[in-house]
Amino acid sequence: MSRETVLERLKRVNARQPAEEDLRVRVSVLAAALTAALAVVQQGVGGPGFKLLVVAGLPAAYWYSWRTRHRQGFTVKLIVAAGAILALGWFLHSIAAQPDGTFADAAVPLAQLLLLIQVLHGLDVPARRDLLFSLLSSAVLIAVAGVLSVSIALAPYLLVWALAATCALVRAHRSELSEVPLLPPAHAEDLTRRGWLRPVSAVMALILAGGLGLFVVVPPAGTSRALLFPAQILQHLPLPLPGELSNPSLGSGDPAVPGTRKGRNATASPFGYFGFSSSVDLAVRGRPNHTVVMRVRAAKAALWRGQTFDVWNGRTWTNSDQACTVRRSSPCTESLDGPLPIPVPPPTEGGFEFTHGSELVQTFYVVKPGPNLVFGAAPISELYFPDRPVYELPDGTVRAGVDVGKGTAYTVVSRPPAVDAAALRRADGNFHGTPPAIARRYAAPPVITPRVRDLAQQATASATTTYDKVIALEQWMARNTTYTLDIPPLPRGADPVDQFLFVDRRGFCEQIATSLAVMLRSLGVPTRVVAGYAPGLRNPFTGLFEVRASDAHLWTEVWFPGVGWQSFDPTAVVPLAGEDTGGTAGTGLGTYLSAELARVPGWLEIALAAAAALAVASVGALHVKRRRAKKRLVRPQSWAEQCLSRLERAGAARGRPRNDSETVYEYAAALQGLTDPNRPVDRVAVLVSRAAFSEEGVADEERRWVDDVLEGLASESRPGTTTPSASR
Amino acid sequence: MTLGRHQLRLEPSSRRALAVLALVGAFYFVARGSGAGWVVVLMCALAATVVVGAIWPLITLMRARVEVIDSPSDATAGSSVTVTLRVRTAGSGVRVRWRDAQVTSAWVAAVGTCEGKLAITPRRRGVVTRMTAQLECAGPLGLVAWSRRVPSVLVRPLEVGPAPAVVTLDQVAGIGPCPAEALLSGSTGDDTLRGIRPYTAGDPVRIVHWPATARWGEVMVKELEDLATQELVLVVDLRGDRDRTEEAASCAAGLAGAGLRAGLPVTLLTAEESGPRAGRVTSPVHIGRRLARAVATAPPPEASVATGNVIRVVAR
């Protein structure tokens, strides 16, 4: 036997297969492909014409393929191949037109290419194998949509796609199964088992459960070096002054802007935070609402730093470099090239060699217009921003030269130093100590009441290192004060720190962070406060942290010799950069769901509960019905039993039912007198008894004969029917 | 791959699952590189699909039951007969066929509890008391296919006789294709003719002697020896190599059938598991049964000289 050549094998593998005749398979695959395509175009891929081409083209292509499934389709294959080559050429041209493009810039053209190929492939899917391939490519499309999506809005598409794909697989398998003869069901109720909705729903439930199980154990997305550095801006509104701080969400209430600007909202937005301004006044009470202001794609949680404040006047924090920025003078750095690397300040010289920790890539998707601060975990080492220039301040924070509106996206790469508690404790022994410039600016005696100073000294009496002092003060506040947003107004002339620590004993991040900073400064520790956002709640499905306006935050940074600035959040425990936080893709799933459920309106909650109860009741009722039906089932009769039943029916029809005490032989003898003598009923009884009780059994020919006799008896008992007498 | 005592095997059609698994692997790297949480969700869903697609048919197969609820008593090797089987499956449909050393059949599908007839073809002569069904299941997703072999006891033994060789009694004595030789009383041809007489009412047409009829101008018939004394005795000695055994059995069936068709009483002398057996056969089915039970491990009983025409069929 000759061996098959590669060419022959290729021909055999690619030989045209029998057409798939089950329309439901096609419809299911089309539904999956269309849902995936819609999910992609919903992410803003392509213009209206392209979207129309995809949405209308896919069903048209599948319809054409269904109509021509029995043809050889050579011409269609040529058209598909030529179309695919053209689409590839267009894709290459698109990405070549972006000389400094990144992977992120190629994402949209790639998505368009895949969509075009999906439509083209839809023209030639005659066989089951082609349809399943189309289903597989729709999985790639839905993954592309997943890469592009940053919100939970993809969930309905994913669910519909999963349902359609499951239907397609189940139907395709049923179609495959029907290629061989199907045994008839033993009972009528077995016909219901042949439906495909039950397996689809069962499989969907199992996949959901299994997928959820996997989801809580697999590592989260984006734990390695990112490939995508998205950066885009939808509306370009340059600021008049370079390095100027702008926050449209504060409207005319923005302390950074003297007076209302033309074209801006005069009133502050409910999601605006007064801390994103040139000062933070602790007498001002503002409470941003829960509006999602931005989403952050990052491998782990961090405090998203916006700007710092170094000057405390007893009531307000300001930044001594703020004036510098407004005046557009040095040391503001204007960088004209992008994506731009912003140099990381080198670690302070000394005996410690702290290595930078692992790279943390964060992509910020702005949902609501906010300050032009470029947020990011400290310190920023690279920035991918869609507009140039940006402005870097000496404290390492960055500002955009444009208003940062809805739809803006930028990527920040940070390299937090890999320090832990032990390293920070050792930092006090650094040979060079704190540089004088740092000490002058950040460790000068603050405006403070005597009892606050005394409290700082008492609380840290047993602490030997700076780190321990910080922890001691945090612990004292945790023990003796309460976090709340509901605090009374600050009395006129009162010191906010004193009021918080000794009078109200209640406060939020502004009071807590300020108290820590002021007390540390009173101990000679260089400290500043930082305004930014808390990490927000991680959406385990998108993998993004959803930062709400209410996550606006103020925390403290402490200088450590040889390390630099290290964040401490006395309001909440935030791990140090060098501490392993672990986590899986499903981490925080329960927290996220309970938080989302808490936001569900009351009427919807009741409706959902009612729907769930109805579903449970329906399933229960179905279960009970099935069990009852099962009980009603009788054991299937053997051939002998069936024959005896037929004999008894024939006798009953003649007015001679079988008595309970009668044997088959006796009953047959009795019947013989009532029937045609040519029908040997007694012989039937012999054969039936032999089939039931004898190992010898009955030959096929004899069975046929018995069946004929019984059929004849039954016919005789039916009025107006005559059949020839059976004879051996 | 074979798993455990259930003899479960992974079928080659499971490569669809490999394609999905490859996609899962690709999505893993995409998720790592892009940080897209949705891709992780999709990856988990696809991986769960493969797991469900692999475990569901496995459980279906392990719970599936096949039984033969009715079967014929007699069959001929190489010719199909119909058995009635009941397949119980829960979960999804399975494909069933009979496949072992003794019988084979085409695939049928069963969903839920099914009963139906299935044509099986015995591969060779013998008494079949149990058959092995091959069950295959890939449902409900068709991603991973498993198969399992399930033995099933027949409700009655299926006695598979050999396919009768096309042979006439004239072809005995080493002339024909059969490994048979006539013994003692010579052949069974024209030697049985004792004389010729005129036709009388009731004589069968087959004993008309046409040459004499032509010569005498009236219908003449052959006067034969008494049929009772013209018994055909077949000594079937199946000892020998396997191919020759089946050939000899087939030949014996052909000769016995020819004897019956010639109106001769036929006696078969065979060796069975229970010992030597000599007995008259009256129908092709009877011949089949006797030869089905004949074994090649023992010699048949010796034929008595007085019994009639003895033909010895040997598997050598």
Side-chain angles (χ1 to χ4, degrees), chain A residues 139-152:
Chain A
V140 175
L141 267 186
I142 202 87
V144 169
V147 170
L148 297 174
S149 171
V150 293
S151 74
I152 199 76

Side-chain angles (χ1 to χ4, degrees), chain A residues 134-494:
Chain A
S134 200
L135 188 64
L136 202 66
S137 62
S138 78
V140 175
L141 267 186
I142 202 87
V144 169
V147 170
L148 297 174
S149 171
V150 293
S151 74
I152 199 76
L154 187 69
Y157 291 95
L158 196 62
L159 276 176
V160 173
W161 177 84
L163 185 64
T166 308
C167 285
L169 284 173
V170 170
R171 282 307 320 168
H173 177 252
R174 284 290 170 91
S175 174
E176 198 170 26
L177 207 61
S178 67
E179 285 174 355
V180 298
L182 191 61
L183 287 175
H187 315 295
E189 78 150 16
D190 285 314
L191 271 176
T192 60
R193 290 170 190 262
R194 300 193 172 186
W196 54 285
L197 288 177
R198 270 177 56 172
V200 165
S201 50
V203 164
M204 277 293 289
L206 284 173
I207 288 174
L208 280 177
L212 194 63
L214 284 172
F215 191 58
V216 296
V217 295
V218 297
T223 51
S224 65
R225 171 74 186 179
L227 296 173
L228 302 178
F229 301 92
Q232 68 167 17
I233 192 163
L234 297 185
Q235 200 176 10
H236 194 266
L237 292 173
L239 295 172
L241 303 174
E244 175 192 9
L245 176 63
S246 164
N247 189 354
S249 66
L250 294 179
S252 58
D254 184 358
V257 181
T260 306
R261 279 196 180 172
K262 191 180 177 184
R264 289 201 176 142
N265 291 334
T267 54
S269 302
F271 48 84
Y273 173 51
F274 291 116
F276 299 135
S277 179
S278 58
S279 62
V280 178
D281 187 345
L282 265 68
V284 175
R285 299 285 184 264
R287 188 186 296 182
N289 65 7
H290 295 295
T291 305
V292 174
V293 291
M294 62 184 182
R295 295 189 174 93
V296 186
R297 175 165 285 160
K300 65 179 190 179
L303 291 165
W304 318 124
R305 193 168 74 146
Q307 64 176 346
T308 66
F309 298 96
D310 60 337
V311 177
W312 169 247
N313 67 4
R315 176 176 149 169
T316 305
W317 282 104
T318 52
N319 189 333
S320 57
D321 274 349
Q322 185 76 8
C324 161
T325 304
V326 173
R327 289 195 306 268
R328 291 186 296 167
S329 59
S330 177
C332 295
T333 306
E334 188 172 303
S335 184
L336 294 172
D337 298 318
L340 24 117
I342 296 177
V344 180
T348 307
E349 59 280 359
F352 293 88
E353 290 191 2
F354 292 107
T355 53
H356 284 296
S358 56
E359 187 179 76
L360 179 62
V361 179
Q362 314 128 68
T363 300
F364 291 82
Y365 299 92
V366 178
V367 180
K368 294 287 180 188
N372 63 331
L373 301 171
V374 173
F375 292 95
I380 296 173
S381 65
E382 283 177 67
L383 171 65
Y384 296 82
F385 199 81
D387 180 71
R388 296 149 208 159
V390 296
Y391 302 93
E392 180 192 359
L393 274 66
D395 59 5
T397 58
V398 179
R399 292 176 185 176
V402 291
D403 270 342
V404 178
K406 180 183 178 183
T408 304
Y410 57 89
T411 300
V412 173
V413 181
S414 306
R415 285 185 174 273
V419 292
D420 53 16
L424 293 179
R425 284 195 176 97
R426 288 198 307 270
D428 285 345
N430 183 268
F431 177 74
H432 291 283
T434 305
I438 296 286
R440 269 197 308 276
R441 187 173 170 189
Y442 298 105
V447 177
I448 190 171
T449 62
R451 58 179 179 176
V452 173
R453 184 183 297 111
D454 294 343
L455 172 65
Q457 286 173 347
Q458 287 165 14
T460 58
S462 58
T464 54
T465 66
T466 300
Y467 177 77
D468 290 327
K469 287 175 184 171
V470 175
I471 298 301
L473 289 174
E474 282 185 350
Q475 287 174 345
W476 188 93
M477 285 193 287
R479 281 195 307 270
N480 298 288
T481 64
T482 310
Y483 176 87
T484 178
L485 290 170
D486 293 318
I487 58 170
L490 183 68
R492 185 180 295 274

Side-chain angles (χ1 to χ4, degrees), chain A residues 128 132 136 139-140 142-155 158 161 166 169-171 173-174 176-178 180-187 190 193-194 198-199 202-203 206-208 210-212 214-216 218-228 297 539-544 585 636-637 639 691 695-700 703, chain B residues 13 15-16 19-21 23 27-53 56 63 67 69-74 81-82 85-96 106-118 136-144 155-157 285 289:
Chain A
R128 190 180 307 125
L132 291 178
L136 202 66
V140 175
I142 202 87
V144 169
V147 170
L148 297 174
S149 171
V150 293
S151 74
I152 199 76
L154 187 69
L158 196 62
W161 177 84
T166 308
L169 284 173
V170 170
R171 282 307 320 168
H173 177 252
R174 284 290 170 91
E176 198 170 26
L177 207 61
S178 67
V180 298
L182 191 61
L183 287 175
H187 315 295
D190 285 314
R193 290 170 190 262
R194 300 193 172 186
R198 270 177 56 172
V203 164
L206 284 173
I207 288 174
L208 280 177
L212 194 63
L214 284 172
F215 191 58
V216 296
V218 297
T223 51
S224 65
R225 171 74 186 179
L227 296 173
L228 302 178
R297 175 165 285 160
N539 181 332
F541 300 110
T542 60
L544 272 68
Q637 290 184 317
W639 177 81
E695 285 187 1
E696 189 181 355
V698 178
D700 293 345
R703 283 172 186 244
Chain B
S13 56
R15 56 181 176 270
R16 281 180 196 160
V20 180
L21 283 178
L23 210 57
F27 285 174
Y28 174 77
F29 289 108
V30 169
R32 298 271 290 184
S34 68
W38 281 121
V39 180
V40 178
V41 173
L42 188 62
M43 181 186 83
C44 292
L46 288 181
T49 305
V50 174
V51 171
V52 172
W56 186 308
R63 295 180 61 191
E67 55 184 326
I69 56 173
D70 193 17
S71 64
S73 312
D74 306 292
V81 290
T82 304
L85 74 158
R86 181 184 296 142
V87 184
R88 288 197 182 92
T89 66
S92 61
V94 298
R95 298 201 306 162
V96 185
W107 286 108
V108 288
V111 182
T113 302
C114 298
E115 279 181 20
K117 295 188 185 303
L118 176 62
E136 190 180 289
C137 182
L141 296 175
L143 291 175
V144 181
V155 289
R156 64 183 64 84
V285 170
R289 285 182 183 172

